[in-house]
Amino acid sequence: QVQLTESGGGSVQAGQSLRLSCAASIYAFTDYSMGWFRQAPGKEREGVASIDSGGGTTYLDSVKGRFTISKDSAGNTLYLQMDSLKPEDTAVYYCAADPSRWLGANALLPKEYKYWGQGTQVTVSS
């Protein structure tokens, strides 16, 4: 059974940083595509960043240059380093996993991911 547990959310001022972590209980973690998604109140869930089994990454345009996704295969942990945070980054952030090694152009689509965490709140004030 796959379990994903996010941590690291919180409240910060604009311009500050946060690092989100996702502890994954996944056999063959390195074979999975992993992603970070977010959902703000009244909005649809959107893909923020993804990383495939080979380490290839994809980012939402609005976070490019500010967010970095990475994974620690030895520790089965996914990370999202978020720098230069803006108020519009405020949302619940979710970790997701799919047993597909590579999702290509669909890497930021929520419907492509089979497993989800419970989410962690990120609030950025101006």
Side-chain angles (χ1 to χ4, degrees), residues 37 45 48 58 109 112-113 121-122:
F37 294 78
R45 190 169 299 188
V48 175
T58 305
L109 295 180
E112 296 295 329
Y113 289 79
Q121 177 70 47
V122 171

Side-chain angles (χ1 to χ4, degrees), residues 18-101:
L18 280 174
R19 188 176 81 155
L20 304 183
S21 299
C22 173
S25 63
I26 298 177
Y27 179 75
F29 174 78
T30 54
D31 291 343
Y32 277 59
S33 290
M34 305 292 295
W36 285 100
F37 294 78
R38 66 187 181 189
Q39 188 164 19
K43 295 187 176 181
E44 292 187 355
R45 190 169 299 188
E46 66 177 355
V48 175
S50 70
I51 186 166
D52 62 36
S53 61
T57 57
T58 305
Y59 292 94
L60 181 68
D61 283 348
S62 63
V63 308
K64 285 180 180 177
R66 300 189 298 121
F67 290 11
T68 304
I69 188 171
S70 62
K71 60 182 179 180
D72 172 8
S73 297
N76 278 24
T77 305
L78 181 72
Y79 300 102
L80 185 68
Q81 177 67 40
M82 304 186 294
D83 298 320
S84 302
L85 282 160
K86 303 176 180 180
E88 51 263 44
D89 295 319
T90 294
V92 176
Y93 283 71
Y94 298 89
C95 170
D98 192 85
S100 301
R101 288 176 174 265

